[in-house]
Amino acid sequence: MTASLPSSLLRERRAIRTLSLPGLIRLVTEIDDNGPISRQRGSLQGAFGDLTPGQLRHAIDTARDLGLIHARGHAAARYQLTAGGKDLAEVYDTAAHQLPSRTSDFVARVQHALQMQDGRPGYTGATTEVSAPREALSEWLQAHPRVLHQDVAHSSHAAQESGRAA
């Protein structure tokens, strides 16, 4: 029953759902792994051909709203990670690489690890198994409390975005 849960837990669950969006995971990790992405026509879709334009737009808007990316300059502006975005990329890496998983898909491993932190039934795991991702996520949320107060996951694109994209 979500009505009886403390508001802080509800905010944390919303933040985890938002941070688990496939397009957001792809955007943050792509920039972290390969550097800034040009905003020029075709550059974004070329880097994210597996995402629909709607998923990509939602990921960019969400990342901007959460302060994870910014664009520099005018004509040849590039999307770059902020310090918070770089830190989140490390959380994603920790989540994907610390948990044994039946899938080899990076996005799915990150989603699974983050959802385990949510505390929902069906996502419980051994404490030792999830200690590194739990600690990394907890530290990141404490360092970036604005994410806990954003309600980005409830936008019209969130339902479409919540499916596997990578």
Side-chain angles (χ1 to χ4, degrees):
M1 294 185 174
T2 55
S4 63
L5 294 175
S7 62
S8 61
L9 182 58
L10 292 174
R11 281 193 305 270
E12 184 174 308
R13 283 184 174 184
R14 273 195 308 268
I16 291 170
R17 275 195 310 270
T18 299
L19 297 174
S20 297
L21 295 173
L24 184 64
I25 295 168
R26 288 274 292 115
L27 179 68
V28 169
T29 56
E30 177 72 23
I31 296 171
D32 184 55
D33 291 346
N34 300 311
I37 298 173
S38 173
R39 290 177 47 201
Q40 293 178 350
R41 188 169 187 84
S43 296
L44 283 170
Q45 203 58 45
F48 300 99
D50 58 327
L51 298 178
T52 67
Q55 289 172 320
L56 183 54
R57 173 57 36 212
H58 182 65
I60 291 168
D61 291 345
T62 300
R64 280 185 169 173
D65 290 346
L66 297 178
L68 303 174
I69 64 169
H70 63 89
R72 280 194 321 159
H74 296 290
R78 297 180 163 287
Y79 288 112
Q80 297 184 348
L81 292 178
T82 62
K86 290 175 185 174
D87 293 343
L88 183 59
E90 290 181 32
V91 171
Y92 287 159
D93 283 340
T94 299
H97 295 105
Q98 292 293 321
L99 279 177
S101 179
R102 290 179 287 271
T103 179
S104 61
D105 179 81
F106 181 85
V107 172
R109 288 194 318 265
V110 171
Q111 287 177 309
H112 178 74
L114 293 182
Q115 289 166 350
M116 287 180 70
Q117 311 315 304
D118 188 320
R120 290 181 290 172
Y123 289 109
T124 58
T127 306
T128 57
E129 186 177 296
V130 295
S131 61
R134 177 180 290 135
E135 184 177 322
L137 178 62
S138 179
E139 288 176 8
W140 191 87
L141 287 171
Q142 286 178 356
H144 302 90
R146 109 185 218 182
V147 174
L148 293 170
H149 301 287
Q150 296 282 342
D151 198 18
V152 184
H154 293 289
S155 76
S156 61
H157 292 286
Q160 176 188 9
E161 170 63 8
S162 64
R164 283 187 62 215

